[in-house]
């Protein structure tokens, strides 16, 4: 019968994860243990001598092995935090990245929070961008569009879990094909990785995130060429958009936007100081 404590099992498992995760090993080991014990990280610190049942110990060691095989933490526990909110993730969705929070910051700094805005999220995935905005903008409503019905099912579940399903609608569509109406705010984090870069991605990304959500054609710009005319068509005259792009794509994406009657107002950096987000409006 197991009598191993929290403190002891962490002492055993952290060194194993350090080979794969380096400085993140302590955090990852605690996240997995919290998932098994259904507790918070604070609970681990407050009660380090708590013992695990044999079932809990086996479950934890099994999860550690999955991580050592390269499976991302979010895919193991089925959840990823974004903008301080919990989002369900599956094999059919891209894990939300901290880089993408620049979209939320850009919108919130540009919008009147007291007004009711209609928000469109192109390529919504888990719904993390749209739902984070609706969480902050209490009077606003939004539509999330995605080609993947499996991803939309996850987004709808996230909306329910966050009690935002009364203000969020999800539409299965190949970008704007089934879209109607105009919006005050349009956001998007489209696939922008080139095929060549995808081929050399780490297995932790390539093997567990859907290719559909990652690759933007041979040059990584295919989706922007489809999104730009949709923004031009569906953006209110006084509205604005915020879209994410990949490293060193700002000039090419800006050109695509300009060719579609869209004016770049600002190019912003993410948390790592990398240019990551374009804010714009209709051209003059």
């Amino acid at each position: 019968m197991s009598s191993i404590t929290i403190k002891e099992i962490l002492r055993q498992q952290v060194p194993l994860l350090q080979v794969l995760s380096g400085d993140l090993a302590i955090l990852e080991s605690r996240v997995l243990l919290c998932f098994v014990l259904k507790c918070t990280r604070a609970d681990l610190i407050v009660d380090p001598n708590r013992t695990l049942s044999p079932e809990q110990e086996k479950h934890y060691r099994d999860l550690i092995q999955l991580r050592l095989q390269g499976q991302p933490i979010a895919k193991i526990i089925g959840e990823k935090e974004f903008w301080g909110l919990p989002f369900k993730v599956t094999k059919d969705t891209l894990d939300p990245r901290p880089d993408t929070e620049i979209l939320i910051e850009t919108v919130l700094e540009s919008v009147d929070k007291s007004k009711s805005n209609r928000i469109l999220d192109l390529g919504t995935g888990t719904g993390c961008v749209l739902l984070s905005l609706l969480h902050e903008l209490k009077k606003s409503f939004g539509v999330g569009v995605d080609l993947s019905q499996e991803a939309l099912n996850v987004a709808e579940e996230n909306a329910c879990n966050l009690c935002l399903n009364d203000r969020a609608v999800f539409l299965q569509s190949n970008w704007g094909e089934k879209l109607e109406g105009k919006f005050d705010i349009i956001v998007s984090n489209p696939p922008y990785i080139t095929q060549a870069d995808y081929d050399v991605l780490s297995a932790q990304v390539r093997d567990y995130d859907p290719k559909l959500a990652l690759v933007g054609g041979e040059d990584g710009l295919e989706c922007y060429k489809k999104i730009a005319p949709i923004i031009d068509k569906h953006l209110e005259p006084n509205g604005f958009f915020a879209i994410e792009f990949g490293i060193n794509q700002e000039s090419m994406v800006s050109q695509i936007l300009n060719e579609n009657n869209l004016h770049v107002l600002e190019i912003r950096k993410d948390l790592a100081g990398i240019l990551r987000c374009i804010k714009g409006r209709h051209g003059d």
Side-chain angles (χ1 to χ4, degrees):
M1 182 175 179
S2 172
S3 60
I4 195 165
T5 65
I6 288 172
K7 178 172 60 178
E8 291 167 342
I9 201 163
L10 287 174
R11 186 181 297 127
Q12 290 178 7
Q13 301 303 309
V14 169
L16 297 178
L17 283 185
Q18 283 175 332
V19 177
L20 177 73
S21 305
D23 293 340
L24 293 175
I26 295 176
L27 173 62
E28 292 186 353
S29 63
R30 287 175 175 170
V31 168
L32 292 176
L33 189 52
C34 287
F35 178 70
V36 170
L37 298 180
K38 296 179 175 56
C39 69
T40 67
R41 274 176 266 170
D43 293 330
L44 301 183
I45 296 170
V46 171
D47 191 12
N49 293 314
R50 172 182 171 181
T51 59
L52 282 68
S53 71
E55 294 76 18
Q56 289 171 333
E57 180 182 354
K58 182 180 185 306
H59 188 194
Y60 181 61
R61 293 185 187 277
D62 288 345
L63 297 189
I64 292 289
Q65 288 305 308
L66 290 177
R67 182 68 188 115
L68 291 174
Q69 292 165 19
Q71 189 163 333
I73 292 289
K75 290 297 195 290
I76 294 174
I77 67 174
E79 184 177 288
K80 183 73 178 285
E81 182 179 295
F82 180 85
W83 200 251
L85 301 170
F87 288 91
K88 177 181 177 179
V89 298
T90 71
K91 63 180 180 60
D92 299 305
T93 63
L94 184 72
D95 286 356
R97 267 67 167 179
D99 300 341
T100 303
E101 291 188 351
I102 186 61
L103 291 180
I104 313 301
E105 293 176 8
T106 300
V107 171
L108 294 182
E109 291 176 10
S110 309
V111 70
D112 184 344
K113 295 184 180 181
S114 67
K115 292 184 178 180
S116 174
N117 294 282
R118 296 190 71 220
I119 304 171
L120 171 64
D121 182 12
L122 294 167
T124 195
T126 61
C128 65
V129 172
L130 176 62
L131 296 174
S132 295
L133 288 173
L134 294 180
H135 177 78
E136 298 290 341
L137 304 174
K138 308 298 185 184
K139 297 182 179 180
S140 296
F141 297 81
V143 176
V145 174
D146 207 288
L147 181 61
S148 168
Q149 184 59 54
E150 291 79 12
L152 291 174
N153 293 340
V154 174
E156 288 174 351
E157 186 171 342
N158 282 325
C160 290
N161 291 340
L162 294 170
C163 299
L164 294 169
N165 51 310
D166 60 333
R167 294 192 284 126
V169 174
F170 296 97
L171 174 67
Q172 196 277 332
S173 175
N174 187 6
W175 297 115
E177 285 183 357
K178 301 177 184 177
L179 198 58
E180 297 179 358
K182 290 188 178 292
F183 299 84
D184 304 293
I185 303 166
I186 298 179
V187 291
S188 182
N189 175 23
Y192 53 69
I193 296 175
T194 66
Q195 182 61 53
D197 286 343
Y198 177 79
D199 292 338
V200 295
L201 277 178
S202 72
Q204 292 188 57
V205 177
R206 193 178 62 248
D207 294 349
Y208 296 99
D209 279 332
K211 185 177 182 180
L212 180 67
L214 292 169
V215 178
E218 291 297 323
D219 61 359
L221 301 172
E222 183 178 300
C223 295
Y224 297 100
K225 296 171 185 175
K226 296 177 180 178
I227 287 172
I230 297 171
I231 295 175
D232 182 41
K233 178 180 178 181
H234 292 281
L235 185 65
E236 290 280 8
N238 295 322
F240 69 92
F241 64 87
I243 59 175
E244 183 174 331
F245 57 84
I247 296 174
N248 298 324
Q249 291 181 328
E250 62 272 11
S251 296
M252 295 176 288
V253 174
S254 295
Q255 181 178 342
I256 293 169
L257 295 170
N258 290 334
E259 291 170 351
N260 285 272
N261 190 39
L262 299 171
H263 176 64
V264 174
L265 295 172
E266 184 181 7
I267 301 179
R268 304 190 57 172
K269 296 178 180 179
D270 63 18
L271 294 172
I274 298 170
L275 291 173
R276 183 69 67 181
C277 169
I278 289 178
K279 173 188 169 185
R281 57 173 173 78
H282 279 297
D284 296 326

